[in-house]
Amino acid sequence: VTGRYSRSVNTEAPGVRGVGFRDTCQDMIAIAYRKPAWAAETLRYLLSQQYADGHTAHLSYREEWYPPVGGKPKSDNHLWPALVAYAIAAETGDLAFLDTPAPFLRDDGTPGAAASLWRHLMAAVDFAESHRGAHGLLLTLGGDWNDIIGRFSERGRGETVFASQQYVYTLRLLIELADAAGKRGDAARMRVCLAEQEAALLACAWDGGWWRRGFDDDGVPVGSSRARFGRIFLNPQSWAVISGVGDRGRLVRAMDAAHAHLQTPVGLKLMAPGFAGWNLEPGKTPVGYGAGCGENGAIFCHANPWAVMAEAILGRGDRAWQLFTQLIPA
């Protein structure tokens, strides 16, 4: 239902979202195991909303409705199509669809030169590699799934641990696809990218009790025990486990910290403590949400299943079931 009806343009609704790029990718990851042809068709459309440098429109619209809207690139949008491609290949065993063409998007919103879906996925790797910061992590750019993260990178130098963890996971899937498809050169290159990104995360992302959320423009850690607000964020704890970055001791400690600091009777909060005001730090723009609201510390259904997955990967089934039934008590 979400894949079919939620990603639509409704002229009656102010602030219309349209076809959110990463949202639709995530819909299609689930669809791939049921209707892989639908997922493949949608993946081709989504990749037609990717620019030649590898970044994608954040809100993509079908041509007959509205022209595409690019805006400031997000740090994770371009990573999600690889997960859809992997889901399709895992279900069907068909790697030939990776050679089907899709156009890149021109700056004026019109279709440009066509390339294979695989070339589109490699363009995403190109973009990630060309947008790494001082610590070797992916630049935050316009944000990475949490609306308040962009405020830490207004000058373009902030870095994101969460998207870097997603990048590691994406590279693992792409390497597996490349090996299966006989794309040895691409596989070899991505193994180097993977080793560098893992090393960067291990060198700077651990805060002593949990994984940091990133770094701001000045290199100050975000999501650190030393911070007044936003000391711990949920997503980098679960995605450390999902991406497989860090030894088991750290991964367990991080998930335990998420339970200790973010647990409520109805699910885990996105982060805590919430930022309490708009202008608490010189030069920072407003957060946009009150403390405990929206992405400034609310309980997001979307983030909790990632924590369920992480606990399942760690083999802690009772904890995974606890999180699931807290969120969906029925």
Side-chain angles (χ1 to χ4, degrees):
V1 171
T2 301
R4 182 69 73 191
Y5 298 112
S6 177
R7 311 302 174 205
S8 62
V9 172
N10 178 359
T11 57
E12 304 301 316
V16 62
R17 289 171 57 97
V19 183
F21 190 91
R22 58 189 170 197
D23 297 353
T24 303
C25 282
Q26 290 169 91
D27 292 340
M28 291 302 120
I29 292 169
I31 293 296
Y33 300 100
R34 296 155 178 80
K35 295 181 179 292
W38 175 13
E41 176 189 3
T42 304
L43 177 61
R44 284 191 291 273
Y45 166 67
L46 288 168
L47 288 175
S48 76
Q49 305 300 295
Q50 182 187 37
Y51 297 88
D53 71 350
H55 86 279
T56 76
H58 183 55
L59 300 177
S60 54
Y61 299 93
R62 293 191 183 276
E63 265 187 73
E64 63 268 28
W65 293 339
Y66 293 103
V69 179
K72 189 176 181 182
K74 303 289 183 179
S75 61
D76 67 320
N77 279 0
H78 57 291
L79 302 176
W80 288 102
L83 277 67
V84 183
Y86 184 90
I88 294 167
E91 177 62 22
T92 65
D94 174 25
L95 296 173
F97 83 96
L98 294 172
D99 296 321
T100 57
F104 282 108
L105 190 66
R106 291 195 181 101
D107 290 340
D108 64 2
T110 61
S116 67
L117 298 190
W118 182 255
R119 180 56 233 156
H120 279 267
L121 299 180
M122 291 301 97
V125 174
D126 295 340
F127 183 78
E129 287 299 311
S130 63
H131 290 78
R132 292 168 57 184
H135 295 87
L137 305 180
L138 299 196
L139 292 174
T140 302
L141 303 175
D144 63 358
W145 191 85
N146 187 310
D147 289 347
I148 69 171
I149 294 301
R151 72 189 291 265
F152 297 107
S153 188
E154 292 167 349
R155 300 198 303 276
R157 294 197 295 268
E159 297 169 84
T160 162
V161 167
F162 176 33
S164 296
Q165 293 166 331
Q166 291 177 305
Y167 183 39
V168 165
Y169 183 73
T170 299
L171 286 170
R172 295 193 198 282
L173 299 188
L174 286 173
I175 290 168
E176 189 175 341
L177 283 177
D179 285 341
K183 301 179 186 295
R184 296 175 182 171
D186 290 331
R189 180 204 172 200
M190 287 190 289
R191 284 188 169 89
V192 174
C193 298
L194 175 61
E196 290 179 352
Q197 196 61 207
E198 285 189 281
L201 284 164
L202 292 172
C204 70
W206 181 250
D207 195 62
W210 55 78
W211 300 95
R212 295 166 174 166
R213 188 60 170 78
F215 296 88
D216 70 10
D217 282 318
D218 298 314
V220 177
V222 178
S224 168
S225 60
R226 297 183 293 279
R228 182 182 177 192
F229 301 105
R231 284 194 292 271
I232 180 171
F233 287 72
L234 174 58
N235 286 336
Q237 317 318 319
S238 56
W239 271 84
V241 180
I242 294 169
S243 67
V245 175
D247 59 74
R248 180 176 175 84
R250 286 187 180 185
L251 299 179
V252 168
R253 285 182 67 188
M255 290 305 298
D256 285 347
H259 283 273
H261 296 281
L262 303 174
Q263 183 66 279
T264 79
V266 289
L268 295 167
K269 294 181 284 187
L270 273 180
M271 47 82 74
F275 292 87
W278 287 179
N279 298 302
L280 293 172
E281 302 167 63
K284 298 295 185 186
T285 57
V287 170
Y289 299 97
C293 297
E295 301 187 26
N296 189 18
I299 300 162
F300 262 44
C301 178
H302 195 152
N304 274 258
W306 286 336
V308 172
M309 291 166 63
E311 293 293 4
I313 292 168
L314 290 174
R316 304 201 298 185
D318 290 345
R319 181 71 65 81
W321 184 248
Q322 175 195 1
L323 291 176
F324 178 73
T325 52
Q326 278 181 175
L327 193 66
I328 310 177

